Amino acid sequence: MTVRAPAKVNLQLSVGPVRDDGYHDLVNVFHAVSLFDEVTATPADALSVTVDGPATVPTGPDNLAARAAALLAEHLGRRPDVALHIRKDIPVAGGMAGGSADAAAALLACDVLWEARLDRETLLELAARLGSDVPFALLGGTAVGLGRGERLTAVEVTGEFHWVFGYADGGLSTPAVYAECDRLRAAGEQDSVWPQVSDDLMAALKTGDAEALGRALHNDLQPAALSLRPSLRDALRAGRAAGALGALVSGSGPTCAFLAASLAHSAELAAALNESGRFAAVRPASGPVPGVTLL
Ligand code: ATP
């Protein structure tokens, strides 16, 4: 069974104050884009993971795809006797939820392989136990995520948006970026307000207005990502100078997302960003795309 899962970019990521349980209340507008990992599940004697991609991806029980298979097996009361092979195209620790995509893909692949065919609600519930971004990878499209990001409502979108993603050399740890966000706020360098869904963003998505979407993009984690990786400032500037309608750090970074006006513009933008020499790789993509899909 081979399942494809998309990367996400956060069109809005608003971070509320720290809760008693250490998490933050978020307003998260997820948007699935056409950069995909693939997970293949094959019957085997025991659970194993192999990865076609960067050596930084763990191959032991810590791999999120392995955790997904183990959780599903436990739920079904069976042995997790499956070999998972991950083909990675989503940048690792890049703020595009690649690990979560692999977890969602493994859930679906094993669900089909083991002929469990769980209903969507149950899969979403298992996904939420694996991580806040995993339910969205199952659903795809564009969705508002509340709570820790896992309570999802689909958002109406007209048409397609064209993006260019600038990958960085090396990743950023998501907990480290949240900790830096807390530090900046405690030092009075960043405000902490109760997060709300942006009406301007919802209107831009509904009408398919790329210019308005470019203006409405917002990421509360961006100051923290820039603080930890100052070179991202120039990377974002390079995109704006090349005519991007919007430029922001994707999630916890360090991947940068640039919104283009059209498909043709995304090719021009990608060429200009390649030329800038500020990125390890530059990838055009479109969104929204569906969530995990059996190939
Ligand atoms: P997010 O946007 O959800 O915060 P991210 O895109 O920044 O996440 P990931 O690529 O999902 O980061 O991975 C973060 C860490 O999780 C990696 O550094 C790696 O150690 C670990 N990890 C576990 N499983 C995987 C996987 N299948 N793919 C990538 N990383 C994984």
Side-chain angles (χ1 to χ4, degrees):
M1 296 301 156
T2 297
V3 171
R4 185 172 97 156
K8 60 84 183 162
V9 58
N10 304 77
L11 305 180
Q12 177 185 351
L13 177 43
S14 298
V15 180
V18 194
R19 307 192 309 202
D20 289 345
D21 64 1
Y23 287 99
H24 297 79
D25 268 308
L26 304 178
V27 166
N28 216 329
V29 182
F30 295 108
H31 182 68
V33 296
S34 59
L35 300 169
F36 302 101
D37 280 359
E38 274 178 25
V39 175
T40 301
T42 315
D45 292 336
L47 178 57
S48 68
V49 176
T50 49
V51 178
D52 176 4
T56 49
V57 179
T59 52
D62 283 353
N63 190 293
L64 274 168
R67 287 185 43 213
L71 180 68
L72 179 64
E74 186 191 307
H75 177 82
L76 297 172
R78 59 165 294 140
R79 292 192 321 121
D81 41 7
V82 64
L84 299 171
H85 181 69
I86 306 175
R87 204 165 68 78
K88 284 214 74 82
D89 199 27
I90 304 173
V92 177
M96 299 195 80
S100 302
D102 299 348
L107 266 185
L108 180 64
C110 293
D111 178 62
V112 177
L113 183 69
W114 295 336
E115 296 178 346
R117 296 290 185 169
L118 295 178
D119 57 51
R120 190 171 132 128
E121 280 312 306
T122 309
L123 282 177
L124 283 169
E125 198 256 309
L126 291 173
R129 284 163 60 185
L130 291 162
S132 329
D133 289 351
V134 184
F136 176 71
L138 279 180
L139 281 189
T142 304
V144 175
L146 302 179
R148 285 194 280 132
E150 80 289 5
R151 296 203 320 265
L152 293 170
T153 312
V155 170
E156 190 186 341
V157 176
T158 297
E160 199 179 21
F161 295 102
H162 301 281
W163 298 90
V164 179
F165 293 92
Y167 292 7
D169 262 330
L172 274 176
S173 141
T174 304
V177 175
Y178 273 97
E180 180 65 2
C181 177
D182 292 340
R183 192 191 68 78
L184 290 174
R185 286 173 169 187
E189 291 175 40
Q190 196 189 343
D191 291 340
S192 167
V193 291
W194 200 253
Q196 294 201 334
V197 180
S198 155
D199 291 337
D200 290 347
L201 174 60
M202 291 300 118
L205 292 169
K206 194 169 180 182
T207 54
D209 183 337
E211 280 192 22
L213 175 59
R215 285 192 299 273
L217 296 171
H218 176 79
N219 182 359
D220 269 349
L221 290 181
Q222 185 162 305
L226 294 180
S227 168
L228 295 175
R229 191 71 68 82
S231 60
L232 292 178
R233 219 174 277 280
D234 284 339
L236 291 173
R237 242 179 241 140
R240 290 195 200 97
L245 299 180
L248 86 171
V249 168
S250 177
S252 53
T255 306
C256 292
F258 303 99
L259 182 63
S262 63
L263 182 61
H265 184 218
S266 69
E268 288 167 26
L269 193 54
L273 290 172
N274 247 326
E275 198 123 305
S276 77
R278 297 204 173 274
F279 301 98
V282 171
R283 303 286 303 276
S286 59
V289 296
V292 289
T293 309
L294 193 63
L295 295 181

